[in-house]
Amino acid sequence: MIDYKTFHVVDHPLIKHKLSIMRMKETGSKDFRQMLSEIAMLMCYELTRDLPVEDVEIETPVAKMTAQRVGGKKLAIIPILRAGLGMVDGILTLVPVAKVGHIGLYRDPDTHNPVEYYCKLPFDIEERYVIVCDPMLATGGSASGAIDMLKKRGVKQIKLLCLVAAPEGVERLQADHPDVEIFAAALDDHLNESAYIVPGLGDAGDRLCGTK
Ligand code: PRP
Ligand code: URA
């Protein structure tokens, strides 16, 4: 059972429209990349809604005032390679001072379990509020594995930004990491026998990079 207290589908006409373009099999890498980046930016707006703000004294051309700016922990964006890379620029458009780390995982084609091949994180990652991004939450193994790696390094505040989620992946992630809020653009129907999301959008990494 999905717990909707920590799983949010960001419901917006522009996101729906852009995601439909990404799903279409005739959409090429150029448009796929552009839509992924734009959706990531729109979703980042929602995901960061609860960032703390602090007062700051400023002076406008007319008068002094107490304004507000984002306070609290600094942000880090951690894409899961490869497909998560396509979300970084969109998020950075809204939070340009965020640091970026990378986690490399691929799914073993037979077991569908994630295999780790790269990890490079900001040196002060344990002090940061982390956004993990990956367009696909299928079995949930990759996202869960990436979050394990971050927690082992002391990270305490993590949110996951994905595009298309399968119920199986949401349930797995909520069981493994109940403290992690998940933001998705759509909740799809199920996984097929190859652990691909149905209807999904196919292999996000290959479509983004043009490798198939
Ligand atoms: C895809 C996707 C996720 C993962 C999701 O990556 O980008 O990382 O699969 O599947 P899961 O929830 O079952 O773990 P893939 O392993 O195909 O690597 P790629 O991005 O390099 O193509
Ligand atoms: N990875 C993808 O890229 N797509 C899926 O549907 C499942 C895993």
Side-chain angles (χ1 to χ4, degrees), residues 107 136 138 195-197 202-204:
R107 291 203 314 178
M136 309 309 280
Y196 272 78
I197 301 175
D203 188 308

Side-chain angles (χ1 to χ4, degrees), residues 36-38 40-42 44 86-95:
L36 179 56
S37 181
E38 290 178 7
M41 182 181 70
L42 293 167
C44 178
M87 303 173 79
V88 174
D89 281 352
I91 302 171
L92 280 175
T93 304
L94 294 194
V95 282

Side-chain angles (χ1 to χ4, degrees), residues 27-63:
T27 298
S29 290
K30 177 175 165 290
D31 290 336
F32 190 90
R33 255 180 234 136
Q34 184 179 337
M35 295 301 117
L36 179 56
S37 181
E38 290 178 7
I39 295 175
M41 182 181 70
L42 293 167
M43 292 184 67
C44 178
Y45 178 77
E46 273 306 308
L47 179 140
T48 51
R49 187 173 279 286
D50 64 352
L51 283 182
V53 288
E54 61 189 19
D55 287 348
V56 55
E57 301 305 317
I58 64 161
E59 201 168 345
T60 77
V62 180

Side-chain angles (χ1 to χ4, degrees), residues 80-83 105-107 134 136-142 203 205:
I80 302 178
L81 306 180
R82 293 170 300 167
L105 293 171
Y106 70 87
R107 291 203 314 178
D134 188 332
M136 309 309 280
L137 183 63
T139 64
S142 302
D203 188 308

